Amino acid sequence: MEISSASSLLLLISFLCSAFFLFFKQHSPRSAPANLAALKSYPVVGNLPHLVKNSHRILEWTTDLIPTSPTGTVTVAPFVFTANPANVEHVSKVRFANYPKSEPIILAIRDCLGRGVATTNGEEWRLQRKAASHEFGTRSLRTFIHEKVCHELLARLVPLLTRASRSDEVIDLQDVLERFAFDNTCSLAFDEDTMCLGGEGGEEGKRFFHAFEEATRLCVERAKQPFPLVWRIKKWLHVGSERRLQEAMEIVHGFVDRCMRSRGDRPSSGQDLLSRFTADGANSDEFVHDNLISFVLAGRDTTPAALTWFFWILSSRPHVSVKIREETKQIRTRQPEENGGKLAFTMEELREINYLHAAISESLRLYPPVPMVPRDCLEEDELPDGHRMRRGWILMYNAYAMGRREAIWGSDCREFRPERWLDEEGVFQPKSSSVFPVFHTGPRTCLGKDMAYIQMKVVAASILERFDMAVYAIVTFKCDRM
């Protein structure tokens, strides 16, 4: 099963772009610290050959390396990989200002995402984060999100899966969920129906979807260049992948600009992010434009990837599906069926679905959509476990490896066991974000966490209530009506 494109963006940029650049950027030829002993260091190039050799499997390679260290941290200069919760807490909260987002990453994706909250640091980031978090923290937005998810689910996703079930069709579930998430995310962002999952018309929305996908892929290709100068020259010459990236971004920017211009000319609920960001005129057009694009990228990619892994896990664990159905059935009995059929779950019902919440969290623990997070080190520092960080190095905390550490989750850490998230009464108990950094931690904690859980619980509960799914290939599924 493929890692999501947002995850690929982070991993490929960090290793194939920054490794070369940062290694030769070191300010002095001082001897390597003791914690480099686990890997052979070569003359002049140091640990760089290890990074190049394993660039195609960085996640698996570093996850295998980390257990060789008693502290859960391994240095492969100029990178430090950690699965130590104390280190995650340190870089994400205690020394937050010393560990900003990686500048090489920001430069590589800025043409796509602009100067939104996802591509800024320092005071610029703080101001944008404050404005965005105010809107994401409102109860009315969560209600609006729930309404949009339920509408898209009942109007498009369930009918699509029903047709597939009746015709005995095998479907690519990840593609279906990506289109569902894109439609839903655009509804939340612009109050626009892009109709990527079906519907009459929708040509503009589908062009937007494909252009967004193309732009993300081309940013990954841009990041594969060993030196930023390569893609910058191609951009200046307007050739090859840089020309295609610019063409894709013209479609993306054009769609967002059109939505912004037409906001006052068409009816709107006033609850979408565009309406919220422009309500009092306090935010600049650039702020609104760039943060809407960042929101679409986050909503389009991570949630469908998480749900795909979730259904893949459940396909080999029917007893978990049975428990989820038993739980949702009990909750359903408290509400009468309307219009002769079962509707999507209400917000009140979602709050009572503890086992499903635990199962989704357990899936995220083992298969986080963004498995590694890079942070630059501005000034030399010592991590809580004793590892040294030099100025200009990159620390990467590995959420994928953390989910597989016995020191954190116990001897059964590689098993899928939702019960680890429940108390004796079966009520969901959240974990510290330092040991479960799937939605990040500290000031950069994901603003869309609540939204993501609402989407995942509505979709998962509604699909499992109606269908059985069997894995036919890596990401293709067959739906059978229950």
Side-chain angles (χ1 to χ4, degrees):
M1 196 173 297
E2 297 181 356
I3 295 175
S4 66
S5 55
S7 308
S8 301
L9 191 64
L10 288 172
L11 297 179
L12 289 171
I13 289 175
S14 300
F15 292 96
L16 298 175
C17 177
S18 302
F20 290 96
F21 177 73
L22 289 174
F23 177 81
F24 292 108
K25 183 183 173 185
Q26 299 307 305
H27 300 288
S28 67
R30 293 176 294 177
S31 59
N35 56 301
L36 291 180
L39 291 173
K40 179 181 179 181
S41 182
Y42 296 90
V44 181
V45 295
N47 296 121
L48 191 58
H50 298 293
L51 291 168
V52 175
K53 178 182 177 181
N54 293 282
S55 61
H56 66 290
R57 55 180 300 271
I58 286 293
L59 182 60
E60 294 82 1
W61 178 59
T62 56
T63 300
D64 290 340
L65 271 182
I66 284 173
T68 66
S69 166
T71 66
T73 303
V74 175
T75 301
V76 189
F79 293 94
V80 175
F81 303 97
T82 187
N84 187 311
N87 291 345
V88 174
E89 182 95 1
H90 181 79
V91 303
S92 301
K93 297 180 182 178
V94 180
R95 294 294 311 278
F96 173 75
N98 193 49
Y99 293 93
K101 280 197 169 184
S102 177
E103 284 299 326
I105 293 179
I106 288 176
L107 290 175
I109 65 177
R110 182 158 278 164
D111 284 343
C112 182
L113 298 183
R115 303 189 69 89
V117 70
T119 54
T120 50
N121 283 313
E123 183 65 13
E124 184 180 8
W125 168 82
R126 189 187 69 79
L127 293 173
Q128 297 210 40
R129 172 78 182 197
K130 182 178 180 181
S133 61
H134 172 72
E135 299 300 340
F136 275 86
T138 60
R139 181 177 180 181
S140 59
L141 181 61
R142 289 192 293 272
T143 301
F144 181 66
I145 288 167
H146 176 258
E147 291 173 354
K148 289 294 184 181
V149 172
C150 293
H151 173 76
E152 184 73 11
L153 173 83
L154 297 173
R156 301 247 174 83
L157 184 57
V158 169
L160 184 151
L161 296 179
T162 300
R163 290 193 298 270
S165 174
R166 289 172 178 170
S167 62
D168 205 30
E169 178 185 356
V170 176
I171 62 172
D172 183 336
L173 186 63
Q174 185 164 0
D175 177 68
V176 168
L177 291 174
E178 283 179 356
R179 292 172 183 274
F180 169 83
F182 193 81
D183 284 344
N184 188 240
T185 301
C186 288
S187 293
L188 300 176
F190 317 110
D191 208 8
E192 287 264 349
D193 187 356
T194 47
M195 294 187 281
C196 292
L197 200 60
E200 295 296 328
E203 286 76 13
E204 183 189 19
K206 291 170 185 175
R207 282 196 302 271
F208 181 44
F209 172 81
H210 291 299
F212 214 103
E213 188 173 45
E214 177 81 343
T216 303
R217 183 183 64 81
L218 290 172
C219 279
V220 172
E221 288 188 4
R222 168 188 275 188
K224 290 180 181 179
Q225 302 297 329
F227 300 97
L229 182 62
V230 175
W231 63 259
R232 288 178 178 174
I233 291 175
K234 291 173 66 178
K235 178 182 177 181
W236 180 67
L237 295 172
H238 190 58
V239 296
S241 59
E242 287 299 313
R243 177 181 57 79
R244 296 194 302 275
L245 174 59
Q246 183 173 333
E247 292 171 350
M249 287 312 302
E250 286 177 357
I251 296 174
V252 171
H253 292 316
F255 182 91
V256 177
D257 289 340
R258 196 270 300 163
C259 290
M260 292 178 64
R261 287 194 305 269
S262 63
R263 164 51 72 226
D265 300 331
R266 58 187 174 83
S268 169
S269 65
Q271 297 300 317
D272 57 281
L273 289 178
L274 175 55
S275 297
R276 289 169 176 268
F277 286 153
T278 57
D280 56 8
N283 298 315
S284 67
D285 287 348
E286 181 185 23
F287 169 91
V288 176
H289 179 281
D290 293 348
N291 279 290
L292 288 175
I293 291 179
S294 295
F295 175 74
V296 172
L297 175 66
R300 168 199 174 274
D301 208 69
T302 52
T303 302
L307 280 171
T308 304
W309 280 113
F310 175 74
F311 284 116
W312 177 78
I313 289 173
L314 259 58
S315 68
S316 60
R317 295 166 177 82
H319 66 284
V320 176
S321 297
V322 169
K323 286 187 176 182
I324 294 172
R325 286 171 180 144
E326 289 175 348
E327 179 182 52
T328 55
K329 184 177 180 180
Q330 289 178 356
I331 292 172
R332 283 294 200 190
T333 58
R334 303 171 196 169
Q335 298 290 335
E337 294 185 9
E338 301 178 31
N339 301 323
K342 294 179 180 178
L343 302 179
F345 291 84
T346 66
M347 288 288 284
E348 292 73 20
E349 290 173 331
L350 290 178
R351 282 190 281 269
E352 296 181 46
I353 304 178
N354 286 281
Y355 187 82
L356 174 59
H357 197 119
I360 291 174
S361 299
E362 183 73 343
S363 177
L364 289 169
R365 178 182 73 86
L366 292 170
Y367 298 101
V370 182
M372 287 201 290
V373 176
R375 292 289 182 260
D376 281 355
C377 180
L378 297 184
E379 299 295 338
E380 190 162 323
D381 189 26
E382 181 174 328
L383 300 176
D385 66 358
H387 281 66
R388 300 293 303 180
M389 289 293 300
R390 290 185 186 173
R391 179 182 179 184
W393 280 12
I394 289 183
L395 182 137
M396 301 195 76
Y397 62 82
N398 188 328
Y400 182 86
M402 290 181 75
R404 289 158 173 75
R405 278 201 74 194
E406 289 192 21
I408 300 174
W409 299 99
S411 59
D412 63 349
C413 59
R414 291 180 178 268
E415 296 178 16
F416 181 81
R417 194 171 66 82
E419 288 75 13
R420 75 174 79 245
W421 296 85
L422 303 173
D423 64 15
E424 293 181 354
E425 297 180 354
V427 177
F428 179 82
Q429 298 297 310
K431 308 295 183 183
S432 165
S433 58
S434 296
V435 303
F436 182 63
V438 171
F439 295 96
H440 311 310
T441 185
R444 285 194 183 268
T445 297
C446 177
L447 290 171
K449 177 181 177 180
D450 290 342
M451 180 192 76
Y453 267 114
I454 290 172
Q455 288 182 320
M456 289 187 290
K457 290 173 75 172
V458 168
V459 172
S462 300
I463 288 179
L464 289 172
E465 187 178 46
R466 294 165 170 85
F467 305 99
D468 279 317
M469 290 198 173
V471 177
Y472 268 46
I474 299 300
V475 291
T476 55
F477 287 76
K478 179 185 176 186
C479 301
D480 292 315
R481 291 283 293 182
M482 290 187 63

